[in-house]
Amino acid sequence: MSKNKVQFQAGYSLIELFQNYGTEKQCTQALFKWRWPMGFKCSECGCDKYCFLKTRRLYQCNKCHHQTSIISGTIFEQTKLPLTTWFLAIYLVTQSKTGLSALALKREIGVSYNTAWGMKHKIMQVMKERDDSKPLSGVIQLDDVYWGGERHGGKRGRGSKNKVPFVAAVSLNEDGHPIAMNMNVVKGFRLTEISRWAKHHLQPESTIISDGLACFSAVSDADCYHVSIVTGGGFQSVTKKEFAWVNTMIGNVKNAITGTYHAINPKHLPRYLAEFCYRHNRRFQLDDMLPRFGYIAVRTPPMPGRLLKLAEAYG
Ligand SMILES: [Zn+2]
């Protein structure tokens, strides 16, 4: 697929954003529709009858009297910001071609840096949860990468200290073009780790193409076929066509993260990788990115600030 197809697609303009989600009422209605597409349903007893307590803006179940706000139990829980600010932030982060730093977001939407950082990471968390729930299928190129490691020329980064290991996987269509990808931080390139990763991120019966690194044979634990191609390592290995796409994506993600953020805290690398993959996986869907995102956001559990700042679990 050509670059032009990405650049000249219909897209979604700021004008449309303001027309559709320019008021609190519109944003609340959108969240309601995404959260309860079949109509209100009480999270405690399943009852579908409720009354809206206008002054406190709460939905009260008619049967068990449980009260819930439109944002409780979602990634937006406890926010004090207007929903319109959230929708604008989501728009900017999901539509930007190369990513938007917390600092840039702060300037665009007029909040403090800490607030912008929290919003940005919550948005990235939604992206991560979404793609983590969609295993790759078909023919998949797989490679091992170190964040901060030397990739080209001489010694590969394998085994280096102070570097964050992650796996990069790209699924291809019959023409050999990339369909979807995911990149997940792992504890190391060991059989048990790759086995755990594969069961979570690969559909059974997929065909996995990797180089000769021993741990990749563990994809068979996820009922996948494994084709190992011995490359001999070094710069020449990345030019082999069996690995062309995964190597292109690894180069792209490193450039994108370094270009947009300059430096990131490696403990948050999983979310930055997820953001890159999410955007790439939806590069032909710019026009309905926002409702798709919103549908997942109201199903993503709350993430208080202290949790956001912890090192993340391995994907
Ligand atoms: Zn109830």
Side-chain angles (χ1 to χ4, degrees):
M1 295 186 204
S2 68
K3 270 197 171 131
N4 286 351
K5 200 176 161 193
V6 176
Q7 281 164 2
F8 292 101
Q9 63 180 308
Y12 191 78
S13 69
L14 258 178
I15 304 272
E16 287 171 287
L17 176 80
F18 292 138
Q19 277 168 354
N20 295 327
Y21 309 108
T23 68
E24 286 302 290
K25 193 177 171 195
Q26 286 174 311
C27 294
T28 306
Q29 281 171 346
L31 289 187
F32 189 99
K33 198 179 76 191
W34 295 330
R35 186 167 177 178
W36 297 301
M38 314 296 281
F40 175 86
K41 200 171 180 194
C42 173
S43 61
E44 295 297 305
C45 74
C47 174
D48 59 3
K49 304 278 188 302
Y50 71 99
C51 59
F52 184 62
L53 310 176
K54 231 175 173 180
T55 45
R56 292 165 61 212
R57 310 196 62 76
L58 293 173
Y59 301 82
Q60 180 173 285
C61 169
N62 280 0
K63 202 168 159 193
C64 75
H65 303 294
H66 177 72
Q67 295 177 346
T68 186
S69 76
I70 193 71
I71 56 172
S72 68
T74 77
I75 195 75
F76 306 109
E77 184 168 292
Q78 294 207 322
T79 185
K80 295 187 175 56
L81 293 168
L83 290 175
T84 47
T85 305
W86 268 104
F87 275 60
L88 177 57
I90 293 166
Y91 172 85
L92 293 171
V93 172
T94 56
Q95 298 280 324
S96 92
K97 197 162 167 261
T98 53
L100 196 69
S101 68
L103 197 62
L105 186 62
K106 162 195 174 323
R107 293 194 194 108
E108 296 278 357
I109 64 176
V111 297
S112 73
Y113 176 77
N114 279 346
T115 301
W117 189 92
M119 294 174 90
K120 164 82 185 175
H121 278 261
K122 285 178 184 179
I123 292 169
M124 291 197 293
Q125 180 67 23
V126 173
M127 295 169 159
K128 178 162 172 55
E129 299 219 2
R130 179 51 175 165
D131 275 2
D132 280 353
S133 72
K134 293 175 86 167
L136 299 177
S137 61
V139 174
I140 297 160
Q141 294 180 352
L142 180 62
D143 207 357
D144 58 300
V145 197
Y146 279 91
W147 178 255
E150 246 350 279
R151 180 74 192 169
H152 301 307
K155 188 172 164 274
R156 267 180 108 172
R158 280 171 187 169
S160 318
K161 279 185 180 164
N162 302 322
K163 287 171 181 170
V164 185
F166 67 95
V167 285
V170 180
S171 68
L172 308 175
N173 65 15
E174 285 173 3
D175 300 326
H177 290 125
I179 305 169
M181 64 178 170
N182 75 44
M183 296 185 186
N184 290 100
V185 171
V186 290
K187 285 181 202 159
F189 299 113
R190 298 190 291 273
L191 286 165
T192 48
E193 248 323 75
I194 298 304
S195 171
R196 188 192 58 75
W197 172 84
K199 286 174 192 163
H200 195 156
H201 294 285
L202 301 176
Q203 288 270 17
E205 316 252 308
S206 302
T207 299
I208 316 302
I209 304 170
S210 78
D211 67 11
L213 193 64
C215 65
F216 287 144
S217 65
V219 298
S220 60
D221 291 354
D223 296 323
C224 291
Y225 309 104
H226 183 220
V227 181
S228 165
I229 294 171
V230 179
T231 60
F235 181 73
Q236 283 177 340
S237 69
V238 305
T239 60
K240 284 219 175 192
K241 78 171 182 348
E242 289 85 355
F243 304 108
W245 276 113
V246 72
N247 281 302
T248 300
M249 294 310 167
I250 290 166
N252 287 354
V253 74
K254 288 188 169 181
N255 288 338
I257 293 178
T258 316
T260 306
Y261 306 105
H262 306 297
I264 61 161
N265 187 331
K267 75 177 178 181
H268 297 311
L269 181 63
R271 277 192 211 118
Y272 289 101
L273 292 175
E275 180 191 29
F276 177 83
C277 293
Y278 183 96
R279 184 176 292 115
H280 184 269
N281 291 343
R282 288 157 188 79
R283 64 203 181 283
F284 301 116
Q285 303 167 354
L286 290 180
D287 54 340
D288 63 351
M289 193 99 107
L290 210 131
R292 281 166 175 268
F293 180 95
Y295 186 84
I296 304 305
V298 294
R299 284 163 182 75
T300 302
M303 197 102 195
R306 66 188 148 74
L307 216 61
L308 276 182
K309 291 198 163 126
L310 289 178
E312 284 147 274
Y314 298 96

